[in-house]
Amino acid sequence: MLELDAITMRFGGLTALHAMSLSVAEGETLGLVGPNGAGKTTLFNVISGVYAPSGGTIRFGGQDVGALPQWKRARVGIGRTFQIPQPMRELTVRENLRVAQRFGAGKEDPAALDEILDLLGLTHKQHADAATSLALTEQKALEVGKALAVRPRLLMLDEVLGGLEMATKRAFARTLETVRARFGLTMVIIEHDIETIKALCPRVVVLNFGQLIADGTPEAVFNDPQVIRSYTGDTPA
């Protein structure tokens, strides 16, 4: 579904992504991990069109999307959340979803919004002010809802579980599984909690200093000496 070939991203003299190549199959749930500053969010920004890469190609569903603006990438089926929730101020929860749906899907579908609100446990808050009335978990759920409103085929989640206490995180992870199954999504998840990644993702990719250093099952990846060294600076005994 998603194919990245030699993606490079430079900011002045800093190279944030180094000729990275990666493929994600349709229906796959992929975990994307690495130390802070490894390039994970930069990669999301390149895929979703926030940044134009300095080099390389991006293909989605067989189509070269590297020159498409963000809204056109949403229209072809690429949805993503942001690390910090960004509700649209002075709009209700439902209105936030309506705007996202209009922008990403190109048309409004009230029944689809009802389903999203129900799946994410936000129906009772749909008429509340999104910027002032939501707890952190609800803000995170709204971020997911806005991404779902564009009717994505690929859903990219940028630390959507970050900042949640463990029990809440586990419950939210189960909700994500329900969402994935309901909509038949391909998912790429940035997450620092290794146990969550192990539970959700049969395959894990590790970035460090903008380079892909490991790709495999959670068990293989998290026991890889190079991965351990990237996090701790030490090699395993």
Side-chain angles (χ1 to χ4, degrees):
M1 172 179 278
L2 176 68
E3 298 177 8
L4 308 179
D5 183 20
I7 293 295
T8 297
M9 187 69 224
R10 299 187 184 92
F11 298 98
L14 172 67
T15 301
L17 297 173
H18 298 260
M20 183 179 303
S21 296
L22 175 68
S23 63
V24 183
E26 186 168 2
E28 187 171 21
T29 300
L30 174 71
L32 184 60
V33 304
N36 289 331
K40 303 181 297 295
T41 296
T42 298
L43 184 61
F44 268 26
N45 286 337
V46 167
I47 295 169
S48 62
V50 175
Y51 300 147
S54 306
T57 59
I58 306 168
R59 299 186 69 82
F60 180 71
Q63 175 185 357
D64 188 337
V65 299
L68 297 183
Q70 292 182 64
W71 70 270
K72 286 191 175 181
R73 295 195 202 190
R75 292 282 174 92
V76 299
I78 298 175
R80 57 88 51 97
T81 67
F82 290 87
Q83 189 172 348
I84 299 174
Q86 302 180 36
M88 288 169 268
R89 296 186 176 277
E90 300 182 3
L91 295 181
T92 66
V93 168
R94 189 180 187 90
E95 287 168 342
N96 268 256
L97 298 184
R98 285 182 61 195
V99 171
Q101 189 180 64
R102 169 60 65 179
F103 171 86
K107 62 180 181 180
E108 294 188 26
D109 182 348
L113 297 189
D114 288 341
E115 182 176 22
I116 291 169
L117 289 164
D118 181 58
L119 283 171
L120 297 175
L122 290 174
T123 301
H124 69 297
K125 287 290 186 77
Q126 64 179 306
H127 300 302
D129 183 88
T132 62
S133 302
L134 301 183
L136 178 60
T137 306
E138 294 167 334
Q139 293 175 33
K140 300 276 190 175
L142 178 58
E143 272 295 296
V144 176
K146 289 191 295 181
L148 291 174
V150 311
R151 298 177 63 184
R153 296 160 57 201
L154 170 66
L155 179 62
M156 302 190 300
L157 303 173
D158 192 351
E159 295 193 39
V160 74
L161 302 174
L164 302 180
E165 62 181 22
M166 194 58 64
T168 304
K169 182 178 291 190
R170 298 293 180 255
F172 206 126
R174 290 192 294 271
T175 296
L176 293 178
E177 272 290 286
T178 300
V179 166
R180 183 201 61 76
R182 171 63 186 85
F183 295 110
L185 297 172
T186 302
M187 294 174 63
V188 181
I189 304 172
I190 295 175
E191 174 57 43
H192 285 290
D193 179 28
I194 291 175
E195 293 307 313
T196 298
I197 286 290
K198 287 181 177 179
L200 288 174
C201 305
R203 177 184 169 207
V204 178
V205 166
V206 184
L207 304 187
N208 193 33
F209 294 113
Q211 295 181 305
L212 194 157
I213 64 170
D215 182 349
T217 65
E219 291 76 14
V221 162
F222 292 123
N223 286 291
D224 185 313
Q226 188 176 8
V227 173
I228 295 171
R229 188 163 54 248
S230 74
Y231 277 96
T232 67
D234 299 323
T235 55

